[in-house]
Amino acid sequence: MKILGTGSSLPTMQVSNDDLSKFLDTNDEWIFPRTGIKSRHIISSEKLEDLALDAARKALDNAGVDAGELDMLICSNVVNEFITPSLSCIVASKLGISCPCFDINCACPGFIYAMDMADSYFRSGKVKKVLIVCAEEPTRMIDWSDRSTCVLFGDGAGAAVFGEGDNLRGTRLSAQPDPDKLYEIHKLQPTPYITKEEADVPLVMKGREVFKFAVTTSSRDITDILAETGITPDQVSYYMIHQANLRIIDGIREHLGVAPEKFPTNIRDHGNSSSASCPILLDECNKAGMFKKGDILVFSAFGAGLLSATAVLEW
Ligand code: UT7
């Protein structure tokens, strides 16, 4: 498959580190050097499905594809207000389409997991056009009094339209299941038969352990996939890394020994938007005119699960 177009959509409210320090025992001096984050977009009056729809429409426009041509819609999403129907069905209804649609919950590597799935459908000849939309509102998952997590996240949606082609050179998905490192628990409706104690638990993250997992796994995945596809680190035009922490990105870059210009970032103004992070970055680089035909992009993302994923895509 190949990319035909990209789109993204962000909440209008932007919250700076100084804004957070008005109600939280934190400050820019702690947040920025440790994470690279200065501000983040946060859902207030918007609904996540509207951001998802906006990103989808922009990607379709950019691709020059009519929504009616789509053979499949995959949404990557951890949480939104609806348990059912899936976010993909909500977006599909607003686009007025009726192709197969489903959600995946693969946390931060969701865009790459979705690309890998779409690739299988392309290879089996079942689809000719696929839309992937990653829409996330992690700011609705966190405890806003927990300074160790709430300063890290931002919301948004990123989307890409794919068509037939040979441009996805390879993908590598991996899992190191360890639910205790990063999780949120959502209380279900009571029934007359449930006797165990249940409670909502906002996002819990063992930051240092996730940090180590991210640098180690992403460096290994990228090294392995480049070897598999016969591409040297220097031949890669851009490394599109999940925007979780600038120090994680720097750690991966140092491991690979590649120049900083090949690692575009937008974490400064976005924070970590889970699976939306990679496609938002992709769209911003695309709109900035950074890519030319034949450029090799390496995607790498890591997160709850713990899951990680890497992909090599020719632009
Ligand atoms: O999407 C993928 C999933 N997430 C990630 O990839 C995140 C991975 N982890 C990280 O990015 C980093 O571990 C963090 C940014 C979360 C934390 O950085 P750290 O250097 O590992 O800090 P720490 O958690 O060890 O905390 C150091 C100190 C603690 O104080 P004491 O116990 O040393 O006195 C914290 O209480 O910093 C304190 N602290 C803060 N202080 C001011 C924690 N959060 C804050 C804060 N403001 N927001």
Side-chain angles (χ1 to χ4, degrees):
M1 65 188 199
K2 67 176 179 195
I3 283 207
L4 300 178
T6 64
S8 62
S9 185
L10 297 166
T12 49
M13 180 179 280
Q14 213 167 350
V15 176
S16 69
N17 293 344
D18 291 340
D19 294 331
L20 294 181
S21 62
K22 288 178 191 147
F23 63 88
L24 205 59
D25 181 14
T26 190
N27 48 53
D28 185 60
E29 290 70 38
W30 191 94
I31 301 170
F32 183 62
R34 271 193 181 67
T35 66
I37 301 167
K38 279 276 180 192
S39 69
R40 66 288 288 146
H41 293 263
I42 294 189
I43 284 217
S44 54
S45 54
E46 302 94 346
K47 288 184 172 181
L48 189 68
E49 60 256 38
D50 293 332
L51 296 181
L53 178 69
D54 188 38
R57 284 200 171 124
K58 286 174 176 164
L60 288 163
D61 272 2
N62 185 241
V65 169
D66 188 84
E69 294 175 56
L70 293 172
D71 299 308
M72 180 167 284
L73 166 54
I74 307 174
C75 278
S76 164
N77 170 254
V78 175
V79 70
N80 72 88
E81 286 175 70
F82 283 85
I83 299 289
T84 194
S86 69
L87 186 60
S88 59
C89 285
I90 296 168
V91 173
S93 80
K94 294 185 180 198
L95 285 173
I97 57 174
S98 54
C99 63
C101 43
F102 59 90
D103 284 9
I104 58 168
N105 178 347
C106 302
C108 306
F111 181 59
I112 303 170
Y113 267 74
M115 282 202 286
D116 182 77
M117 296 180 83
D119 183 46
S120 302
Y121 282 101
F122 275 105
R123 284 178 192 280
S124 68
K126 288 184 174 173
V127 297
K128 291 193 186 322
K129 298 261 175 7
V130 173
L131 170 63
I132 296 175
V133 183
C134 304
E136 305 280 11
E137 47 186 339
T139 69
R140 303 298 308 277
M141 300 169 65
I142 50 192
D143 171 358
W144 276 91
S145 64
D146 175 8
R147 64 180 183 172
S148 69
T149 54
C150 75
V151 304
L152 304 172
F153 294 95
D155 306 319
V161 180
F162 293 86
E164 290 171 294
D166 291 325
N167 296 41
L168 189 66
R169 299 279 194 89
T171 53
R172 170 173 271 262
L173 310 183
S174 75
Q176 194 176 297
D178 195 350
D180 292 345
K181 295 279 194 304
L182 184 47
Y183 65 91
E184 184 198 354
I185 295 173
H186 170 67
K187 197 172 158 202
L188 300 178
Q189 298 297 324
T191 84
Y193 309 104
I194 293 289
T195 51
K196 63 182 177 178
E197 288 265 318
E198 292 188 323
D200 284 315
V201 180
L203 193 83
V204 174
M205 179 169 70
K206 294 185 179 153
R208 287 197 172 183
E209 292 170 57
V210 177
F211 190 107
K212 276 184 210 145
F213 166 79
V215 176
T216 311
T217 315
S218 179
S219 304
R220 180 205 66 199
D221 286 352
I222 293 174
T223 306
D224 288 354
I225 203 164
L226 289 181
E228 264 170 35
T229 51
I231 295 167
T232 63
D234 281 353
Q235 289 173 322
V236 175
S237 309
Y238 293 107
Y239 292 85
M240 312 295 288
I241 310 291
H242 169 46
Q243 305 286 297
N245 185 322
L246 195 58
R247 288 190 297 135
I248 293 178
I249 299 168
D250 285 342
I252 297 163
R253 184 175 58 71
E254 280 160 22
H255 182 92
L256 296 169
V258 175
E261 305 80 73
K262 292 198 170 195
F263 283 72
T265 64
N266 63 9
I267 188 168
R268 186 185 167 98
D269 305 318
H270 293 268
N272 178 349
S273 57
S274 188
S275 73
S277 145
C278 279
I280 291 174
L281 181 67
L282 178 72
D283 183 52
E284 291 183 351
C285 293
N286 183 21
K287 298 291 152 59
M290 284 167 55
F291 304 142
K292 56 183 190 311
K293 195 172 167 12
D295 274 353
I296 298 289
L297 310 184
V298 171
F299 292 87
S300 179
F302 33 79
L306 299 168
L307 298 182
S308 73
T310 310
V312 177
L313 183 84
E314 184 186 333
W315 186 256

